[in-house]
Amino acid sequence: MMQSAEIRQHFFDFFKSKGHTIVPSAPIVIKDDPTLLFTNAGMNQFKDYFLGNKKPSYTRVADTQKCLRVSGKHNDLEEVGVDTYHHTMFEMLGNWSFGNSTENPAPYFKEEAIAWAWELLTEVYKIDKQRLYVTVFEGDAKEGLPKDEEAISFWKKWIAEDRIIMGKKKDNFWEMGDSGPCGPCTEIHIDSRTDEERKKTDGKSLVNNDHPQVIEIWNVVFIQYNRRKDGSLEPLPAKHVDTGMGFERLVRVIQNKQSNYDTDIFSGTIEAIEHITNKPYQSYLQEGIAFRVIADHIRAISFTIADGQLPSNIGAGYVIRRILRRAVRYYYSFFYYREPLLYQLVPVIAKEFKNVFPELFKQQDFVARVIKEEEDAFLRTLDKGLKRLDEQFKKERDSLIVKIEQGIIEKSSSYNIILDGKLLFELFDTYGFPLDLTKLIASETKFGGIGFSVDEVGFNTEMLQQKTRSRAASVVDTEDWIILSNAEGSKFVGYDTYETKGKVLKYRKTKSQGKELYQIVLDKTPFYAESGGQVGDTGVLIFDDEKIPVVNTKKENDLIIHFTNELPANIDTKVIAKIDVDKRKKTAVHHSATHLMHAALRKVLGNHVAQKGSLVNHEYLRFDFSHFAKVTDEEIRKVESLVNEKVRLNVPVIVQQMPKQEALKTGAMALFGEKYGDTVRVVKMDADYSIELCGGTHVGNTGELGFFKIIAETAVGAGIRRIEALSGKAAEDYIQKEFTAMHHIRESLKNPKDINKAVENFITENNELKKQLEKLEAKQLSSIKNDLLQKVEKIKDINFIGQLVDVPNADALKKICFSLKTELKNYVIVLAAVIDGKPNVAVMLDDTVAASKNLEAPKIIKEYIAPLIKGGGGGQKTLATAGGQDASKLNDVIEKVKSLL
């Protein structure tokens, strides 16, 4: 049986023989395309070629690309593991021809793309021709698009006409998005059913009908149109071929398996899961889904972290956290495994892909550490969620019992309590509980004749509302480019100059969250576009005598875009582009300081230190790096000393352009998750100290940094530390501010000889005075408590205390409540006080009273007290506090709570 590694290599060898250059996979995490969080198709790294923003380095290329599809248009997450062929992270084998390239060999289009696809599948991989079908675009009268007669005629050379199926626009017209390059496509499908099944039902009828054994394996796209914002189509000046073949599906077909998960791509991971959990993989059981979910998700999690995306609560990081938590929920629910499991699989994945995607193997310890800490944290959250759910079960039970006793509900041998949809969504959103898990727990929970079920409709309503809010917050309405010139452009010249004269190539308007911005592209620009951690330049564009401020500069793929709040009266004229030179120079100081500090950290802490994120601007630098312990004060001093030594030596900063492989041989440091071209920019500050691949702006000599100072060191995630530091004028201002503060402290302490001793004495005296004050306050509060116990009112069987008291702070109200709690049963306490002219209220309820009266302290605060005192507050179920503006209604507050009883 042909192994997956052989299958992949055969693909490379085949297209190399057809004049293709084999290129590496781009990072799975997208950094310079605002329309995407992750690489979701093989063509992503080539978008600029299709859009005409960049000239291709090669006419023909092929690769295997790491892809991730879990959000947006390609949302397959909930299907992963349930079926046998959807994945989050997958490999996309692809071959491309770029029609706008003048290199040799020449570009190709439909005839060659179709012939080579057929040759590879049937001659190299030996796939049975009688099991293959192809689809072609049938045309679309509404769009004015003709049937793809060219593709049909070329296919007839290789396959019987009755195996050529006409496909609608939905399946056979590929589009990058709502606008942009697009074109007809032809898909190759395979019928993997048994011979008996094939005899019963013609495979042709099952193509594109979601049959698990009749699946698409290759999509060959002919990019020949551009979709405009208004929906209209225009022909592209150059035609391209873009193909994508799912590697996992291809291996399944060649290895004659009924499931992707039965191939050698996943078998090693599944065997490892069996060993860890001591459970067998049986694909047809519910536990089989858990195996598949874990085997799939660990790949997505591992490769995204290796490419620089850490789990978080926003953006791409939140997607990774969702995937990780879904995997944890599956092993938690179906394997009853209560310890971190996923991190144990990282070495298995790293070894399997060592020769294909080596970045994971090189970082496997770091990646495993990050995953383990995420798992630990989520397992703790799951425990909290279980407690929250258990509390709700008891609350619902107690409330039902009270209603039965009061005759509100008739007695019965059994009762069903429906858990509210808002609670279900809270469990999902806050604690990571999927609806299925909550349903399972609810169905298994019984109190005598009391059972539980869930409000699925309510949950789905809450989920839809959240998605709507999220979509509204993230939507960016982008109009079509208005083209003024078709000249090649967007050339960055800002390494050598701060000002240029040029022209506008194109511009467009965008709108996000009600704010309008304009995006302008110049033929050449001194403005540095945000990348590599360095912020984008600001400055002005001067049209005749009109100055248009540039508020930011960013990259969209390789296009440099200037953001402005307005357009000039005459945009089709010569433009002078001027950056804010002062900001640029200060930013360059911090970028060069970042390189020196990175090298110093590796020397002081070890070579495991690797950059995991950075921010460089004119105010300060921020640097995230891999390290598993707090950086000590002594280590920080050593780092500062090394950097400042290089500053004093005034080392020349040497910048060179060279081939990437040559640069790496010199010892230049490349960052994981960054995409580099064949030619790279190398920044050197002493060949024995710091050499990095970097596209940012830098000083000419290290002496320009003046001084370097670390101002903060913190943890930002599992195995990730963050340093904030200053250099140049910013460091000088910081030191001056610190000296000024020290001078004021000395003066306040009467200029002692030993400032440290004086501060220690001051703190000791202050602590002693605090203790004395606390003792006096405790006596005062004890006296108030005793006085209040004499004023208990009996309302039915409830002990009620409602009084205005004189206390020094709001915390004292809670202390008195807790003190009274030990002396009373069946109580409701409302204490109010005027503190610094403002009303403050504390409400405490006995658990029994809260259940019998269906009361909650936060609800009382929100609905009854806050409106009276013109304020707000909150708290726990049986204790809540409030503050406000109107102290005249405190007696009304007490009476209002009293009336609830």
Side-chain angles (χ1 to χ4, degrees), residues 90-272:
F90 59 96
E91 284 187 66
M92 183 69 83
L93 301 174
N95 60 289
W96 286 267
S97 170
F98 304 117
N100 53 353
S101 173
T102 57
E103 302 292 322
N104 283 318
Y108 59 88
F109 203 46
K110 296 182 183 180
E111 183 173 12
E112 296 90 340
I114 287 171
W116 291 340
W118 186 258
E119 181 184 350
L120 177 63
L121 292 178
T122 61
E123 301 300 324
V124 177
Y125 291 138
K126 307 295 183 184
I127 294 175
D128 183 357
K129 297 175 184 179
Q130 299 307 309
R131 289 181 175 270
L132 296 176
Y133 297 88
V134 299
T135 64
V136 295
F137 182 47
E138 68 178 11
D140 190 297
K142 185 179 176 183
E143 295 266 14
L145 291 167
K147 181 191 290 187
D148 195 347
E149 296 286 3
E150 277 186 301
I152 295 170
S153 66
F154 293 134
W155 271 123
K156 285 180 180 179
K157 295 180 181 181
W158 308 107
I159 192 169
E161 192 169 349
D162 63 353
R163 290 179 171 272
I164 302 172
I165 303 166
M166 297 300 107
K168 297 185 182 299
K169 181 169 172 280
K170 177 176 75 75
D171 294 314
N172 282 89
F173 193 87
W174 182 89
E175 305 208 39
M176 186 183 292
D178 294 331
S179 60
C182 55
C185 63
T186 181
E187 297 175 339
I188 304 173
H189 295 252
I190 187 162
D191 185 349
S192 297
R193 295 174 301 152
T194 63
D195 290 338
E196 291 75 14
E197 290 174 313
R198 290 169 62 213
K199 287 176 184 176
K200 290 178 184 176
T201 307
D202 185 4
K204 186 175 182 178
S205 66
L206 302 176
V207 169
N208 277 331
N209 277 310
D210 295 323
H211 192 286
Q213 303 302 329
V214 182
I215 57 173
E216 172 205 334
I217 55 170
W218 207 340
N219 189 12
V220 182
V221 182
F222 309 116
I223 299 177
Q224 58 190 96
Y225 301 105
N226 180 54
R227 173 80 66 184
R228 295 178 58 82
K229 170 77 173 177
D230 62 9
S232 62
L233 291 168
E234 59 184 5
L236 285 173
K239 297 176 181 179
H240 314 283
V241 171
D242 162 18
T243 87
M245 177 159 56
F247 179 61
E248 291 78 9
R249 291 187 180 190
L250 176 66
V251 174
R252 163 186 165 185
V253 168
I254 293 173
Q255 293 185 353
N256 195 28
K257 302 294 184 182
Q258 296 301 301
S259 162
N260 292 5
Y261 295 94
D262 294 337
T263 67
D264 69 323
I265 299 174
F266 292 97
S267 58
T269 309
I270 288 175
E271 285 170 12

